[in-house]
Amino acid sequence: MLKQWLHKRAKVTYGILNTYVRKKGRVYNAAQWWDAQFYTAGVSDRQTIAPNKGVIAAKYHYASVEQRILAHLCNRNVRVNQSSVLDIGSGSGYWIDFYRALGANRVVGLDVALSSFNYLNDKYADTSGVHVFRGGGRSSLNSKRPLDW
């Protein structure tokens, strides 16, 4: 246990040293990383979890997260019907479909990956109440003209 803890701390320290002191490494480009690492075989629900995630594992993941969201909404008496929802990191649009099924009348999807953005634009081209934007969450929400709600 102590060995694992020390190993983890050493990796973090080494990463900080290389990033901030030595200035080694590559600059992280989120859009390129997602397109190169996750969406190599197209955009799908299971690929937004992990590039090689199995179908059954992906279905289990989404079902368990749905149950947690529904429990949270019910326990706090939150009504999604006729509301607006912002989905940051929309991926394949799974959560856009989920909230629309719950009755949200407007869902805004935001994703940094070009392949995901193109996929979502095609998927929701004729769907009213769904708007898709490309960009990162922080930069999009902090801009002078935030997402058009």
Side-chain angles (χ1 to χ4, degrees):
M1 183 86 143
L2 177 63
K3 185 178 176 180
Q4 289 175 334
W5 185 84
L6 289 172
H7 180 69
K8 185 175 182 180
R9 295 298 176 258
K11 283 178 67 176
V12 169
T13 303
Y14 184 72
I16 291 170
L17 178 69
N18 279 336
T19 302
Y20 297 107
V21 178
R22 294 180 184 155
K23 306 283 186 192
K24 285 171 97 179
R26 296 172 295 209
V27 175
Y28 173 68
N29 183 320
Q32 289 176 352
W33 186 84
W34 277 94
D35 286 330
Q37 299 296 321
F38 274 72
Y39 300 129
T40 56
V43 179
S44 69
D45 290 340
R46 67 183 177 81
Q47 278 193 309
T48 60
I49 302 169
N52 298 316
K53 182 63 77 179
V55 175
I56 294 173
K59 288 187 181 296
Y60 174 79
H61 166 80
Y62 282 113
S64 61
V65 174
E66 278 183 18
Q67 291 299 316
R68 299 288 294 171
I69 291 170
L70 291 171
H72 177 82
L73 295 174
C74 288
N75 290 340
R76 285 156 183 81
N77 200 24
V78 175
R79 304 225 183 267
V80 177
N81 195 22
Q82 300 300 315
S83 65
S84 295
V85 176
L86 172 61
D87 179 19
I88 298 176
S90 297
S92 63
Y94 186 90
W95 299 111
I96 292 173
D97 295 337
F98 174 76
Y99 284 106
R100 286 185 49 78
L102 290 179
N105 64 344
R106 185 176 168 115
V107 181
V108 175
L110 176 66
D111 205 286
V112 70
L114 179 61
S115 54
S116 176
F117 174 72
N118 291 336
Y119 175 83
L120 292 170
N121 271 330
D122 291 343
K123 182 176 180 179
Y124 299 111
D126 298 327
T127 307
S128 64
V130 176
H131 306 280
V132 180
F133 295 92
R134 181 168 183 234
R138 182 183 299 164
S139 62
S140 297
L141 295 174
N142 288 337
S143 68
K144 291 189 185 250
R145 184 170 180 210
L147 304 174
D148 294 329
W149 282 86

